[in-house]
Amino acid sequence: QVQLVESGGGLVQAGDSLALSCGASGRTFDNYGVGWFRQAPGKEREFVAALSWNGYSTRYVDSVKGRFTISKNNANESVYLRMNSLKYGDTAVYYCADVTGIFTTTQARYEFWGQGTQVTVSA
């Protein structure tokens, strides 16, 4: 069973930056589209960012455009979400997910999910 593991969450102040990482046990992200999603207290999980399997295409929810960047390393071993200028509204549990060979923002299409990492932004 493939397991995705997120790391890098924490408590920060508004305006700070944070970088999340995601790794997959037993394989790389080669040929996998990758996404980051988040779930705030009392809300449904929402799409944040997606990266195509070849790393050439990205997509972001409007609320994070210009502040968040999704990327992966050259060896396709890790996927990152760099978050700058964090806002109180970014507080959520952040999840990494991936899917074989496609590029999508639709969370129902993602096959594998991590357990999530908490990001808390104090106002």
Side-chain angles (χ1 to χ4, degrees), residues 46-67:
E46 65 169 354
F47 164 76
V48 176
L51 179 68
S52 62
W53 64 271
N54 57 12
Y56 292 159
S57 299
T58 58
R59 198 73 51 82
Y60 299 92
V61 68
D62 285 347
S63 61
V64 308
K65 283 180 181 177
R67 300 189 298 122

Side-chain angles (χ1 to χ4, degrees), residues 4 27 29-37 49-55 57 70 72 79 96-104 109-112:
L4 303 188
R27 64 157 167 86
F29 291 104
D30 196 22
N31 294 322
Y32 285 83
V34 186
W36 285 94
F37 297 81
L51 179 68
S52 62
W53 64 271
N54 57 12
S57 299
I70 186 172
K72 60 180 176 178
V79 175
C96 170
D98 69 4
V99 57
T100 310
I102 65 172
F103 176 45
T104 180
R109 301 192 71 183
Y110 281 81
E111 299 168 314
F112 302 101

Side-chain angles (χ1 to χ4, degrees), residues 90-107:
D90 294 320
T91 295
V93 177
Y94 283 72
Y95 298 90
C96 170
D98 69 4
V99 57
T100 310
I102 65 172
F103 176 45
T104 180
T105 64
T106 304
Q107 60 178 300

